[in-house]
Amino acid sequence: MNIREITKDVYYVGVNDRTLDRFEGLWPLPYGVSYNSYIVKGSNKTALIDTVEIGSIRDLFHSIMSQIGGDKIDYLVINHMEPDHSGGINAVLAAYPDAKLIGNKQTIAMVKGYYHISDDRFLEITDGDTIDLGGKTLRFVLTPMVHWPETMMTYIEEDGIIFSGDAFGTFGALNGGIVDDEMDTGWYKDEMYRYYSNIVGKYGRFVQKALAKTSNLDIKYICSTHGPVWHSKIGEVVEIYDKLSKYESEPGVTIIYGSMYGNTAEVAEEIARQLAARGVRNIKIHNAAKSNLSYMISDAFRYEGLIVGSPTYSMHIFPPVEQFMIAMETREFKNKVLATFGSFSWASAAHKQLKDYALKSKIDVVASLEMKHSAGSDTFTQVAHLADKVVEALKLK
Ligand SMILES: Cc1cc2nc3c(=O)[nH]c(=O)nc-3n(C[C@H](O)[C@H](O)[C@H](O)COP(=O)(O)O)c2cc1C
Ligand SMILES: [Fe+2]
Ligand SMILES: [Fe+2]
């Protein structure tokens, strides 16, 4: 039994990274991440699908050697040029001097720009082209902006395997098992929400296009670039990606607030109490100066309600709250029950600026409140009103 064989002559040769602190220099990786590569062996030719991050190149070669020994690689398929997958291009082309690099027009321009490879190493393909490796026909499906302009997927017609690039990927390294049948996948769900919302979140409409384009393929395995190979759980992961890319969310409310001296925090806590008293069961509260942006974005994508509060800070939104609003605006957030609250002492600014983000994103603010100095009985009345409005709007969803 070859423990890395997915279907006959298709092998997992990816690597785990449990060292990197932050993906893209930004997003925490408490459970690591995997960079997935695959070998497809036809009767005539062998292809490697994607490489790994440069720091993991030694592990990639060990993995390849364990599967094909001294046999050569004829094609290196580049589905995605982000360096977490393209970092090994130079090393692979150097190790296999006859290998051709397969990519589309955009891929090739990027490979030249980043890796300075000569023209004679490329084999340019266009959408729908096929290459026969001998009993393994690779078909290329261009899926731009999932998650860069050059991204594409590669499908093996005989096996019903799709190498999907970042689509259907998740944070979290592989803990022994490779195909989902071999593991308890429950814990990946949170990491998949975080991966999607942090990395792919801006490109929902392109994910929708890619889903439509691949919907007529008979898919038995999804081999993404991060996390498990999906087989028995295909339905579940496609549903998560479909839902998130349509900005659909789950019952619950995320409260994001900033506070220097506790006054705005007190309002945030009271809003949460009032929501709980009205039956909202999933409430996530983040102090924006303490919680990591990655988790705030993930919860904001996940739950239907979003309530954001900030004190006025030198005529601006409190910086970590503003950073969150920028992240949401960048991800073109929509389809939320949004409420805002603000505080100030002598010249109010933050609350209006919060509402301006909603305006720019064309999202209605269902309720808002502003407090001068500290919470009094009128504040608690306003909080009750805000909670009523939020719960009412959530019921309509
Ligand atoms: C560094 C700093 C800058 C502030 N800038 C403003 C301001 O520009 N306008 C204003 O009305 N209040 C300003 N305030 C006052 C706070 O907005 C106000 O005290 C608010 O109640 C603080 O809420 P908190 O207790 O949640 O931090 C500032 C306070 C601090 C500490
Ligand atoms: Fe990517
Ligand atoms: Fe990636």
Side-chain angles (χ1 to χ4, degrees), residues 259-264 311-315 343-347 373:
S259 189
M260 296 169 279
Y261 292 107
N263 293 291
T264 320
T312 297
Y313 180 87
S314 303
M315 297 311 285
S343 67
F344 70 105
S345 182
W346 62 90
H373 301 148

Side-chain angles (χ1 to χ4, degrees), residues 287-304:
N287 172 351
K290 184 155 188 285
S291 283
N292 190 285
L293 181 65
S294 170
Y295 293 85
M296 295 195 283
I297 295 171
S298 186
D299 282 342
F301 260 74
R302 186 164 190 160
Y303 298 110
E304 290 169 345

Side-chain angles (χ1 to χ4, degrees), residues 24 80 82 84-85 147-148 166 195 199 226:
E24 293 181 350
H80 183 20
E82 193 167 0
D84 53 333
H85 311 296
H147 123 250
W148 280 17
D166 284 344
Y195 178 82
I199 309 297
H226 303 286

